[in-house]
Amino acid sequence: MKAAVVDRYGPPDVVRVADVPTPEPGAGEVRVRVDTAAVTVADARIRGARFPHGFAPFARLAFGVTRPRRTILGNTFSGVVEQIGPKVDTFDVGDPVCGMTGMRMGAHAEHVVVAARRIVHTPSEVSHTDAAAVLFGGTTALHFLRDRARLRPGESVLVNGASGAVGTCAVQLATLLGGRVTAVTSTPNVALATRLGADRVVDYTTTDPFDTTDRYDVVLDTVGTVSPARGRRVLTADGRLLLVAADLWTTATPRRGVHTGTSGEVPDDFRYLLDLVAAGKLTPVVDDLGGLGDIADAYARIDSGHKVGNLVIAPGS
């Protein structure tokens, strides 16, 4: 099969398309023919060995000290079950599925082997593109807003970085959970944030959203530009600050009302998000860039800091 291979850390052009052996599923696993795979900020961090401040030594141990241990990146995908390993009775060949592979990665390829417990059936109303796009940003936004902040109807929410994969989902999910949403983004994406349901949009190129008398019950920073001190300036007395991309010091130092960490890859959350998409209540913002040969362009877009929504590729095209 063809796959996007990253066998050394570096800029976007280190990725190359190569022929590699097609993986075989073991017990409890299935092989999926990948229709669509997301190219995410997490993939770009691993490819470039660019991790939040303080995490580099630990990340290198996890992903590879001198070069990536997993040479085929990508952990979010949608496709069709092609082969079933022993001890799998929840899926059939031909089933449309989507999921996340965790640390195993491997989704930037024509085929991926994944544990059956990490995938779910894709509803007929949801396209492969939307399924692959919604999982990464959607699970992160859901984890922080619903599980960490326990957002309640009527509460005010500030979403910093409202035009990215996490931010576009966060604006919509916060609204669905009953929040009153203020979205922070740049001038070109003001209309997008409004269309996604934000009650108010702040253009950070002209207005500092943290130099204000406004106060919010929840502040969600999706891009790693808000420190605890800066975020607390605009919190209510019992407000919650959610930092998706915090540095090691912030993560390791507990502070009242400050929530960091990583979200899990929970199949029930996949189903929840997919049902929202199927019902037309959640709209993934997607930029479909083409096939495996276009993955370097996707990485360059991410590295530029100007990515909008979710970037996806079609490995089989």
Side-chain angles (χ1 to χ4, degrees), residues 119-140:
I119 61 174
V120 299
H121 291 93
T122 304
S124 59
E125 301 90 345
V126 181
S127 68
H128 283 300
T129 298
D130 282 350
V134 77
L135 294 187
F136 174 77
T139 54
T140 302

Side-chain angles (χ1 to χ4, degrees), residues 91-298:
F91 297 95
D92 294 313
V93 171
D95 284 351
V97 296
C98 61
M100 302 177 78
T101 62
M103 292 280 289
R104 185 173 186 169
M105 311 300 282
H108 293 164
E110 292 179 320
H111 309 273
V112 65
V113 164
V114 60
R117 60 183 172 80
R118 286 184 165 274
I119 61 174
V120 299
H121 291 93
T122 304
S124 59
E125 301 90 345
V126 181
S127 68
H128 283 300
T129 298
D130 282 350
V134 77
L135 294 187
F136 174 77
T139 54
T140 302
L142 189 64
H143 168 76
F144 278 95
L145 291 169
R146 184 194 64 189
D147 303 335
R148 302 302 297 274
R150 300 187 182 277
L151 179 64
R152 296 181 291 270
E155 289 193 309
S156 55
V157 183
L158 181 74
V159 178
N160 186 54
S163 60
V166 177
T168 53
C169 285
V171 169
Q172 297 178 80
L173 289 171
T175 300
L176 288 169
L177 292 169
R180 295 178 288 107
V181 180
T182 295
V184 179
T185 190
S186 60
T187 307
N189 299 313
V190 168
L192 170 64
T194 302
R195 189 165 69 249
L196 293 176
D199 299 284
R200 176 171 169 252
V201 182
V202 176
D203 181 348
Y204 70 79
T205 66
T206 60
T207 304
D208 183 351
F210 297 93
D211 184 16
T212 177
T213 58
D214 295 335
R215 296 295 179 264
Y216 302 91
D217 298 301
V218 175
V219 172
L220 172 63
D221 173 37
T222 73
V223 291
T225 60
V226 178
S227 66
R230 190 165 187 244
R232 281 171 165 166
R233 293 179 193 168
V234 295
L235 282 179
T236 58
D238 61 347
R240 288 86 79 200
L241 177 61
L242 314 174
L243 304 177
V244 173
D247 61 26
L248 179 60
W249 173 253
T250 300
T251 301
T253 309
R255 294 174 173 87
R256 182 177 177 274
V258 179
H259 301 271
T260 64
T262 58
S263 58
E265 299 175 0
V266 183
D268 283 347
D269 290 347
F270 300 170
R271 296 185 186 96
Y272 175 78
L273 293 166
L274 292 166
D275 286 346
L276 289 177
V277 175
K281 297 179 180 179
L282 176 62
T283 303
V285 176
V286 186
D287 196 346
D288 192 340
L289 296 183
L292 283 174
D294 300 292
I295 194 168
D297 292 337

